[in-house]
């Protein structure tokens, strides 16, 4: 199983003067992050546009800070991509510093926190479409199925949404120019695996409880749930149709 990348999103009520706040507290992030790129975006620009971009020191990840949300995006290599425990330690070490910065501004009160991982279930090398259709849809009478996409949404641990989207993933030879005629021919396809997008967040609590407040400790719950799915539940879902 190949863990291609993970993103963490922390949403909060609008922070005024986010650029000035960063300059006054940037030392908190210096252990793991380079100097920020502070974008010349006017104050009246849409709030979801990041004002501050910060790469990690080895440039495996980037932190994007806007007045209403912070996103930490990670891409894995060097063996991390097959070891969720190593991935989670990387995330926790850096997000501890990020929350150290954000908590100054928010008092450790957030709207909700989300964790999304993109996974390639490369135990399946061919026939990904057929496997999903057979094991999860019990399809016997649908012919000429080329692509498939299935999404499950579960509620877990009272406040968590667990979204799992499964789809076939076609892999092609290197150097393919996608926009050329015939570029995605069967001869150039080297595998048809199964991809999964696993999205875990506490927005269910935010959506259903008017007094709900998230905090930095929620990330640990999300990481634990992600590990359970990647290390155990995903294979059972794909191979047996069980969760």
């Amino acid at each position: 199983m190949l863990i291609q990348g993970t993103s963490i999103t922390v949403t909060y009520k609008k922070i005024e003067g986010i650029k000035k706040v960063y300059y006054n507290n940037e030392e908190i992030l210096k252990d793991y992050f380079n100097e920020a790129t502070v974008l010349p975006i006017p104050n009246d620009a849409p709030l979801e546009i990041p004002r501050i971009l910060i790469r990690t020191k080895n440039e495996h990840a980037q932190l994007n800070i806007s007045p209403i949300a912070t996103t930490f995006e990670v891409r894995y290599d060097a063996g991390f991509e097959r070891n969720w425990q190593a991935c989670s330690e990387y995330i926790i070490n850096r997000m501890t510093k990020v929350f150290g910065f954000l908590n100054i501004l928010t008092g450790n009160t957030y709207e909700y926190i989300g964790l999304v991982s993109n996974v390639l279930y490369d135990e399946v090398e061919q026939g990904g479409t057929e496997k999903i259709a057979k094991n999860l849809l019990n399809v016997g009478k649908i012919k000429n199925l080329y692509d498939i996409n299935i999404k499950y949404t579960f509620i877990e641990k009272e406040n968590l949404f667990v979204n799992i989207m499964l789809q076939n993933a076609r892999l092609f030879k290197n150097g393919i120019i996608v926009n050329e005629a015939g570029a995605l021919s069967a001869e150039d396809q080297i595998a048809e695996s199964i991809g999964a997008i696993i999205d875990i967040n506490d927005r269910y609590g935010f959506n259903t409880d008017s007094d709900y407040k998230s905090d930095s400790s929620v990330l640990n719950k999300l990481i634990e749930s992600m590990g359970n799915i990647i290390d155990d539940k995903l294979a059972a879902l794909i191979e047996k149709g069980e969760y």
Side-chain angles (χ1 to χ4, degrees), residues 3-36:
I3 310 165
Q4 298 173 308
T6 300
S7 66
I8 301 95
T9 299
V10 183
T11 63
Y12 37 79
K13 295 187 183 300
K14 180 183 176 183
I15 296 172
E16 300 289 349
I18 188 70
K19 296 178 185 179
K20 181 178 179 181
V21 172
Y22 169 73
Y23 285 128
N24 289 338
N25 297 281
E26 60 182 317
E27 290 297 323
I28 296 173
L29 300 172
K30 286 296 179 66
D31 286 348
Y32 295 111
F33 293 90
N34 293 319
E35 186 175 344

Side-chain angles (χ1 to χ4, degrees), residues 24-201:
N24 289 338
N25 297 281
E26 60 182 317
E27 290 297 323
I28 296 173
L29 300 172
K30 286 296 179 66
D31 286 348
Y32 295 111
F33 293 90
N34 293 319
E35 186 175 344
T37 299
V38 179
L39 302 176
I41 295 175
N43 292 333
D44 59 353
L47 295 177
E48 62 271 15
I49 297 176
R51 273 55 169 176
I52 301 166
L53 309 179
I54 318 175
R55 299 288 292 176
T56 53
K57 288 194 171 178
N58 292 319
E59 301 206 344
H60 290 105
Q62 180 167 300
L63 189 66
N64 307 312
I65 304 175
S66 87
I68 58 171
T70 290
T71 302
F72 183 55
E73 300 174 342
V74 188
R75 287 291 178 189
Y76 303 115
D77 60 14
F80 279 69
E81 65 270 38
R82 296 197 182 273
N83 184 344
W84 176 249
Q85 181 62 35
C87 295
S88 65
E89 290 175 2
Y90 180 94
I91 291 168
I92 289 169
N93 288 340
R94 285 146 187 82
M95 284 303 298
T96 296
K97 296 296 184 180
V98 172
F99 278 121
F101 168 73
L102 292 177
N103 288 350
I104 293 173
L105 315 174
T106 65
N108 198 18
T109 298
Y110 301 97
E111 293 185 328
Y112 50 89
I113 299 171
L115 181 70
V116 180
S117 288
N118 291 283
V119 176
L120 183 67
Y121 187 73
D122 57 357
E123 285 83 347
V124 173
E125 296 183 351
Q126 299 295 338
T129 299
E130 289 77 10
K131 179 175 281 289
I132 294 174
K134 178 182 177 181
N135 292 351
L136 301 182
L137 295 181
N138 195 23
V139 172
K141 297 183 179 180
I142 297 178
K143 306 301 181 183
N144 300 319
L145 189 63
Y146 184 73
D147 283 328
I148 194 166
N149 185 311
I150 299 176
K151 180 182 177 183
Y152 295 87
T153 297
F154 306 94
I155 299 171
E156 298 185 1
K157 297 184 179 178
E158 297 183 1
N159 293 318
L160 301 186
F161 275 133
V162 176
N163 303 288
I164 302 175
M165 186 169 70
L166 299 175
Q167 57 192 16
N168 60 302
R170 300 179 186 276
L171 307 179
F172 292 88
K173 296 176 183 177
N174 290 331
I176 294 294
I177 301 174
V178 176
N179 293 328
E180 289 187 354
L184 303 182
S185 65
E187 291 77 15
D188 289 326
Q189 181 176 306
I190 59 175
E192 188 199 357
S193 186
I194 295 174
I197 300 174
I198 307 166
D199 177 1
I200 310 173
N201 59 73

